[in-house]
Amino acid sequence: GNSVTQMEGPVTLSEEAFLTINCTYTATGYPSLFWYVQYPGEGLQLLLKATKADDKGSNKGFEATYRKETTSFHLEKGSVQVSDSAVYFCALSDDQGDTGRRALTFGSGTRLQVQP
Amino acid sequence: GAGVSQSPSNKVTEKGKDVELRCDPISGHTALYWYRQSLGQGLEFLIYFQGNSAPDKSGLPSDRFSAERTGGSVSTLTIQRTQQEDSAVYLCASSLTPGQGAGELFFGEGSRLTVL
């Protein structure tokens, strides 16, 4: 079955530090890959996505590249801010065949704490 | 409202009681999902509704859990005879018809259930 593995948190960084949150996946076929973010007191929201190998998703200074050869989709940001403190979830979407259900399989989430 | 709305935001109940959680999806979104987020765990898929099709109940953990969606819009998740292990945040999400938007889900803020 499909699965997503993320690095355990919390990750604690100082403002302006470089961020990497690792994500690897196991899936049949050719899934789409996503990063969702959950800010304190808010619902999950899509941060970025990539739908095929070698695509790079980017948003708000965050980037992630779909690496089929290493089955990875690591999240990076060159300079984090306090406002980036949140929980980050890696996810994959794999069409469920006849049902057409694009179920999302999520990782366990990584909490990022950015200190001023 | 413009987003996915869930109620109640917090629910404390006694073991053995029944609870109902409500989700009002984004207008025009035909797909609706329920997920469960337990402390330190990723998001666990529970159930999926798509238009008038039979729901995909493959993620429901036991027959104490059920859900319905009336008129293709509002959904209610019911947990009967609650147990302490049911304590979690229950998240609802909606999306456009599968195949569009490459799996982007829009989440509500969740209903936090605590079973004493």
Side-chain angles (χ1 to χ4, degrees), chain A residues 88-105:
Chain A
Y88 293 82
F89 292 89
C90 185
L92 69 83
S93 172
D94 199 9
D95 191 358
Q96 298 296 300
D98 291 342
T99 68
R101 171 166 74 90
R102 284 194 169 268
L104 284 186
T105 300

Side-chain angles (χ1 to χ4, degrees), chain A residues 40-57:
Chain A
E42 299 184 15
L44 274 79
Q45 55 188 273
L46 180 66
L47 179 61
L48 54 83
K49 68 181 182 184
T51 58
K52 61 182 186 297
D54 299 325
D55 269 2
K56 177 184 287 188

Side-chain angles (χ1 to χ4, degrees), chain A residues 4 7 9 19 34-36 39 42 49 53 56 62 65 72 75 79-80 83 89 91-92 100 104 109 112-113:
Chain A
V4 176
M7 62 189 292
L19 169 71
F34 306 82
W35 278 99
Y36 279 77
Y39 297 105
E42 299 184 15
K49 68 181 182 184
K56 177 184 287 188
F62 291 88
T65 301
S72 66
L75 182 68
S79 176
V80 293
S83 58
F89 292 89
L92 69 83
L104 284 186
L112 170 65
Q113 298 173 335

Side-chain angles (χ1 to χ4, degrees), chain B residues 34-89:
Chain B
W34 283 97
Y35 283 84
R36 179 168 69 176
Q37 184 179 18
S38 302
L39 188 63
Q41 304 293 316
L43 274 70
E44 175 189 5
F45 166 77
L46 297 177
I47 189 169
Y48 160 76
F49 295 90
Q50 170 55 38
N52 295 321
S53 301
D56 178 349
K57 305 179 182 179
S58 60
L60 294 178
S62 78
D63 58 8
R64 296 186 296 105
F65 288 73
S66 63
E68 62 178 19
R69 188 178 184 191
T70 55
S73 181
V74 172
S75 177
T76 302
L77 177 68
T78 301
I79 308 173
Q80 296 178 310
R81 305 181 303 282
T82 52
Q83 303 295 312
Q84 288 183 332
E85 60 263 28
D86 299 335
S87 297
V89 177

